[in-house]
Amino acid sequence: MAGEISVSLDAMGLNLPYSMEAEQAVLGALIVDSSLFAKVAGMLEPKMFYYKNNGSIFEQISRLYSESGAVDFVTLLAAVQEAEIFSTPDEAKVYVTQLAEWVPTLSNIEHYAKIVVERYRVRALMLAAKNILESTGEEADADLLLEHAERQIYQIRAGSSSNALTSISDVIVDALAHLQEIGGPNRDRYLGIPTGFTYLDMMLTGLGRSDLIILAARPGMGKTSFALNILTNIAKRQNLGVAMFSLEMTKDQLVNRILSGEAAIHSQAFRTGNLTDANWTDLVRASEVLAKTNIFLDDTSQITVAEMKAKIQRINQDPHKGNIDVVIIDYLQLMSTGRRTENRVQEISEITRNLKIMAKELNVPILALSQLSRSAEKNRADHRPMLSDLRDSGSIEQDADSVLFLYRDEYYNKDEDNAGENGVTEAECIVAKNRHGETGTAKLMWDGAHTRFTNLDGYHG
């Protein structure tokens, strides 16, 4: 990438920032003392060197270090000559010799590396700006341009952080401090965020911050309704900020679903407009309560992870709107990476991996809804879903901290025993994977008329 930046931006007459001295100092220090590689391995990549040959030399140092640890003048020179980085073997020998002879101070290698990284990031920003400028024009869509710009900036920022290995003694101190916090008066701030469903929260200990939770079900099971119930429970009871990205339903449709459940008005009344005076009274009351919550809705189709993160950060940076504490996505298979690809399985894998990264970076739980394959309906007498039913990718199960399935027996077995009173029937939330605790089944009640789930022991008709 460094070469690409150099060519494209030099052509624009821009003064590209780089430090040949810092690049050569890093390489020279590694030739003199290869043990210093551990200090810069997590900071540098070959593409960060402005001079292409410097990047290629660093790549050979990395290879030698990982293969045998034997990095010195002789082994590196042989590797550089074999890779034909320079035009002739003699030219390679002269340059590597100069690197080994010109090292200001070995102890400053991390400082030299930081200079290389900072100059690279500025060049990357300049390239991003150039690409954004080239995308503009009279016919350009402003919203698309903004999303394109935010995605490029996010990619530069995402590639700039790295964490070093941490001593277990330091981690133990942090763990003990955390245990004191969750046992103290502010324990709610450190525990998982309760969903409002008692038995589910007992198994999950709430939605863990930085966790990716997958909620999967076949169409018609009510996964969107369940997600909306969790959303309103968190926003109302804990006064936390919740963002829902709906790639399938509009914001108006989501609000109608929420109001139907909160005001206990039959969902059919919202579709027909046949509301009684009592309905209007309940509707106004529910609207006043919901209007005071920190619920944010987005119905952008085929949104990318980078675009989601940019929108969340804009909310978090606005002092008048507060923070986003929980993110809900409906649903996973409608998301996009922003690139054209014919391999949908690989694309879903990239999306789930980036969602997990976003959850960690923002320190929020992400509840992502997912479709299930038809095998849950066709190939088994028991239609309860299993992890193997997750659609499109095994990486969904791999990347998720928890996997939840919704199941309603009356959906498949429509007999009198399953009919329920007033159309209210039992439902199950199956915890099929739980990285932090037990698995099992949480019993719920499903009220289809009002599109809501409730606790099994909390329903009174």
Side-chain angles (χ1 to χ4, degrees):
M1 185 174 178
E4 295 174 2
I5 294 174
S6 303
V7 173
S8 57
L9 293 178
D10 280 336
M12 295 180 67
L14 297 176
N15 184 20
L16 291 172
Y18 68 96
S19 172
M20 187 64 72
E21 294 80 7
E23 292 185 10
Q24 292 177 332
V26 168
L27 298 175
L30 293 175
I31 296 171
V32 174
D33 185 357
S34 63
S35 66
L36 296 173
F37 184 81
K39 291 188 175 183
V40 299
M43 299 170 59
L44 291 172
E45 297 177 50
K47 66 180 181 181
M48 295 178 175
F49 291 82
Y50 176 81
Y51 182 45
K52 183 179 178 181
N53 287 358
N54 285 341
S56 298
I57 292 171
F58 182 79
E59 187 174 13
Q60 292 302 316
I61 292 174
S62 301
R63 182 182 64 80
L64 290 170
Y65 187 87
S66 62
E67 289 178 355
S68 63
V71 183
D72 55 30
F73 176 83
V74 175
T75 59
L76 179 61
L77 177 59
V80 169
Q81 290 176 334
E82 184 178 352
E84 297 183 346
I85 295 172
F86 293 87
S87 301
T88 65
D90 287 342
E91 187 179 350
K93 184 175 182 179
V94 169
Y95 191 75
V96 174
T97 301
Q98 290 176 345
L99 291 177
E101 292 176 346
W102 190 80
V103 184
T105 307
L106 292 177
S107 60
N108 286 342
I109 188 171
E110 289 178 278
H111 178 68
Y112 305 146
K114 286 179 182 178
I115 295 174
V116 175
V117 172
E118 288 302 312
R119 302 293 164 83
Y120 162 76
R121 291 178 66 193
V122 174
R123 294 197 304 274
L125 283 169
M126 294 173 72
L127 176 61
K130 172 183 176 293
N131 291 337
I132 293 166
L133 284 172
E134 290 178 345
S135 302
T136 60
E138 292 183 2
E139 304 299 324
D141 184 290
D143 289 334
L144 289 177
L145 281 173
L146 283 171
E147 291 176 357
H148 175 64
E150 288 171 343
R151 183 164 60 250
Q152 292 199 63
I153 301 300
Y154 168 69
Q155 288 172 345
I156 295 171
R157 185 181 296 276
S160 67
S161 60
S162 61
N163 295 318
L165 287 169
T166 306
S167 166
I168 190 172
S169 60
D170 294 333
V171 179
I172 287 173
V173 171
D174 292 340
L176 294 176
H178 178 70
L179 286 172
Q180 287 184 323
E181 295 288 0
I182 63 176
N186 297 320
R187 65 193 309 268
D188 291 343
R189 188 183 305 169
Y190 299 94
L191 292 173
I193 298 172
T195 65
F197 294 97
T198 308
Y199 297 115
L200 179 60
D201 286 330
M202 287 174 61
M203 280 189 278
L204 297 178
T205 60
L207 304 179
R209 290 169 173 82
S210 80
D211 278 1
L212 173 61
I213 303 106
I214 299 296
L215 172 63
R218 288 292 296 150
M221 282 292 161
K223 57 183 179 293
T224 299
S225 297
F226 190 53
L228 289 173
N229 296 155
I230 292 174
L231 174 145
T232 52
N233 287 343
I234 292 172
K236 283 172 52 183
R237 300 178 187 181
Q238 299 163 68
N239 195 32
L240 296 177
V242 188
M244 181 163 186
F245 294 90
S246 175
L247 290 81
E248 185 176 37
M249 300 174 64
T250 66
K251 287 178 282 191
D252 291 339
Q253 290 172 329
L254 292 175
V255 169
N256 284 345
R257 287 275 195 101
I258 295 172
L259 289 173
S260 173
E262 290 299 304
I265 298 173
H266 199 295
S267 58
Q268 183 69 15
F270 279 88
R271 291 191 291 270
T272 62
N274 295 325
L275 298 171
T276 66
D277 290 342
N279 289 155
W280 278 108
T281 299
D282 293 336
L283 189 58
V284 169
R285 186 183 301 113
S287 298
E288 289 175 347
V289 172
L290 289 169
K292 296 176 183 178
T293 62
N294 290 318
I295 295 175
F296 302 90
L297 304 175
D298 186 287
D299 57 8
T300 305
S301 301
Q302 292 187 317
I303 194 169
T304 66
V305 175
E307 291 161 358
M308 283 183 182
K309 184 174 181 181
K311 292 184 178 186
I312 292 168
Q313 288 177 324
R314 285 203 293 269
I315 295 291
N316 290 345
Q317 291 166 3
D318 189 332
H320 303 293
K321 293 185 176 180
N323 286 333
I324 300 297
D325 300 288
V326 180
V327 176
I328 299 175
I329 302 167
D330 185 16
Y331 58 90
L332 186 62
Q333 281 77 16
L334 294 179
M335 290 186 65
S336 169
T337 58
R339 300 190 301 274
R340 291 184 178 180
T341 176
E342 295 180 359
N343 190 330
R344 185 57 179 163
V345 171
Q346 184 176 346
E347 188 174 21
I348 290 293
S349 298
E350 182 178 344
I351 290 170
T352 57
R353 184 168 58 253
N354 288 336
L355 284 176
K356 176 57 185 174
I357 292 171
M358 184 173 82
K360 289 181 65 178
E361 289 181 348
L362 297 179
N363 194 35
V364 299
I366 294 179
L367 178 64
L369 280 57
S370 175
Q371 291 281 30
L372 289 177
S373 66
R374 291 186 177 273
S375 60
E377 293 182 348
K378 287 186 174 183
N379 301 330
R380 296 193 302 267
D382 184 355
H383 297 300
R384 285 175 176 81
M386 303 184 299
L387 289 171
S388 58
D389 297 326
L390 285 170
R391 185 176 170 184
D392 285 327
S393 174
S395 69
I396 297 177
E397 175 188 350
Q398 175 183 314
D399 294 327
D401 295 281
S402 302
V403 177
L404 316 178
F405 294 126
L406 277 182
Y407 175 76
R408 293 189 289 114
D409 191 63
E410 55 86 18
Y411 182 86
Y412 295 100
N413 303 304
K414 300 182 183 297
D415 53 43
E416 292 183 2
D417 293 336
N418 287 330
E421 184 180 351
N422 299 322
V424 178
T425 57
E426 284 195 19
E428 300 175 13
C429 182
I430 303 167
V431 181
K433 177 185 178 181
N434 183 7
R435 190 165 283 164
H436 310 302
E438 64 179 304
T439 58
T441 300
K443 295 286 188 178
L444 306 168
M445 298 301 294
W446 164 245
D447 182 354
H450 304 110
T451 61
R452 65 180 178 182
F453 289 85
T454 59
N455 285 304
L456 183 64
D457 56 355
Y459 187 81
H460 302 291

